[in-house]
Amino acid sequence: MDWNRTKSIFIFVFLILDIFLYSMYLNRYNEAQSVEILGEKTIEARLKDDNITYGALPNSNESATYITGKVHIFKNADDFTDDNQRISFTDETHAHVRATFINPVKLRNIDDSSFTEFVHTNVKDGDSYALWKVDREERVAIFFQKKNNRMFYYNESALLKVRWNTDNEVVTYEQSMIDNIEEMEQQETVIPPLQIFQTLYNKGLLKSESRITQVKLGYSTYSNLTQTQVLIPTWEVQVKLSDGEIEEYFVDAIDGKIVEIQGDKKKGEEEDWGVE
């Protein structure tokens, strides 16, 4: 018997067998993957099952880019030419300014348009800010700085707070600002809103019987290097729960990670100017 030939035949047979078994494994794996994909519900179906509703969504083909800017330094009180405003600085760097009205300014109404009108008329570069929230209980209207109509969410260096008294008169405001804003050249296609919903749903953040009331693209702070900041495109999602409470979430619009800015929010909400 030719043992060398027999050995070669056995090796060849086992090689063919290995290939066959591996081929079967791949086929079964692919079939299993296909079944999993076909059986998996879309995010739309999952939201519908949990009675989570939403309205019209922003364009899913939106693009955005990272931006950089520098913290604005208010050089001195002489930069403010309104004789009715007494100016002071709330930090040593002069990055935050407080203006107190000698004669309080009467608001036309306690509504969004009245506060926006007041800011455009009475605040330095007021048209660079967009109204975020009016808290009637605390009598404070919060504005975020914006770029291309996209807000800088909860950035303490790009914030405007307007306080009014019980007579519906503005008595003071506090302001900070970012300038020298530059966009990076490369535009990125942002993650579409439904994929953002998928991220929030998978984290258990979208509760049943709720409604997604707002989906907007803005910016959050990626890095804060003393005077220079880098801001990233960020989806803001507001959700109204079944009990009426509002929750808000922020998700990086480029890589899909949830952005944690709770600390800035808490700081903004707890600040007390002592206005009566």
Side-chain angles (χ1 to χ4, degrees):
M1 180 181 290
D2 188 347
W3 288 106
N4 288 332
R5 183 183 179 190
T6 302
K7 184 169 65 175
S8 298
I9 292 173
F10 271 110
I11 293 173
F12 180 76
V13 169
F14 279 115
L15 179 61
I16 295 297
L17 180 61
D18 287 340
I19 293 173
F20 174 74
L21 292 175
Y22 183 68
S23 176
M24 287 184 62
Y25 166 78
L26 283 180
N27 288 336
R28 289 184 178 180
Y29 177 81
N30 290 333
E31 288 174 4
Q33 289 293 97
S34 298
V35 170
E36 183 177 338
I37 293 171
L38 290 173
E40 184 177 349
K41 290 185 177 181
T42 64
I43 183 60
E44 295 97 324
R46 289 171 182 249
L47 295 177
K48 186 175 181 180
D49 286 348
D50 288 346
N51 199 22
I52 300 171
T53 59
Y54 55 90
L57 298 178
N59 183 0
S60 60
N61 294 319
E62 277 201 76
S63 62
T65 184
Y66 293 85
I67 61 175
T68 61
K70 292 186 177 181
V71 175
H72 179 78
I73 302 302
F74 298 92
K75 293 181 179 179
N76 55 62
D78 294 336
D79 290 341
F80 297 81
T81 57
D82 189 339
D83 293 337
N84 191 37
Q85 297 183 24
R86 185 171 63 248
I87 304 301
S88 61
F89 299 100
T90 60
D91 65 346
E92 294 180 355
T93 66
H94 287 200
H96 298 79
V97 66
R98 174 181 287 150
T100 302
F101 287 95
I102 298 170
N103 297 307
V105 178
K106 186 73 173 179
L107 291 166
R108 185 164 43 83
N109 291 296
I110 304 301
D111 58 19
D112 294 4
S113 61
S114 295
F115 283 109
T116 299
E117 178 184 304
F118 165 83
V119 167
H120 286 185
T121 303
N122 297 279
V123 176
K124 177 182 175 65
D125 295 319
D127 57 356
S128 297
Y129 297 86
L131 182 64
W132 172 254
K133 176 183 179 181
V134 175
D135 188 331
R136 287 173 170 78
E137 183 176 345
E138 297 295 328
R139 298 197 302 278
V140 58
I142 299 173
F143 288 75
F144 293 158
Q145 194 175 341
K146 62 182 179 178
K147 171 68 174 177
N148 297 331
N149 289 321
R150 293 173 179 173
M151 294 183 183
F152 301 167
Y153 298 122
Y154 292 100
N155 187 318
E156 63 179 14
S157 297
L159 194 62
L160 175 66
K161 294 182 181 181
V162 177
R163 283 273 193 175
W164 71 95
N165 60 22
T166 53
D167 294 323
N168 294 342
E169 299 170 328
V170 174
V171 292
T172 187
Y173 67 84
E174 238 183 42
Q175 181 183 14
S176 59
M177 185 164 54
I178 294 175
D179 55 18
N180 296 321
I181 297 172
E182 295 183 3
E183 295 183 338
M184 296 186 180
E185 291 184 4
Q186 183 176 354
Q187 291 280 331
E188 304 279 355
T189 300
V190 301
I191 297 172
L194 280 173
Q195 193 170 332
I196 297 301
F197 296 170
Q198 178 83 63
T199 297
L200 296 173
Y201 186 89
N202 289 344
K203 294 286 186 179
L205 298 175
L206 295 182
K207 301 175 178 64
S208 60
E209 308 297 329
S210 62
R211 177 167 179 79
I212 299 169
T213 57
Q214 180 165 287
V215 185
K216 292 183 69 175
L217 191 61
Y219 289 95
S220 61
T221 306
Y222 177 74
S223 65
N224 188 351
L225 305 173
T226 311
Q227 296 300 317
T228 301
Q229 293 197 3
V230 178
L231 300 138
I232 57 175
T234 302
W235 283 112
E236 174 251 331
V237 180
Q238 286 192 11
V239 184
K240 186 175 184 179
L241 304 183
S242 57
D243 62 2
E245 183 181 352
I246 301 295
E247 295 183 341
E248 57 187 26
Y249 302 101
F250 300 88
V251 183
D252 187 325
I254 304 300
D255 69 12
K257 294 180 181 178
I258 293 177
V259 178
E260 299 289 347
I261 55 177
Q262 199 68 27
D264 292 335
K265 291 164 59 178
K266 186 175 182 181
K267 180 178 179 181
E269 290 167 359
E270 291 182 349
E271 186 175 4
D272 182 9
W273 297 351
V275 176
E276 298 297 335

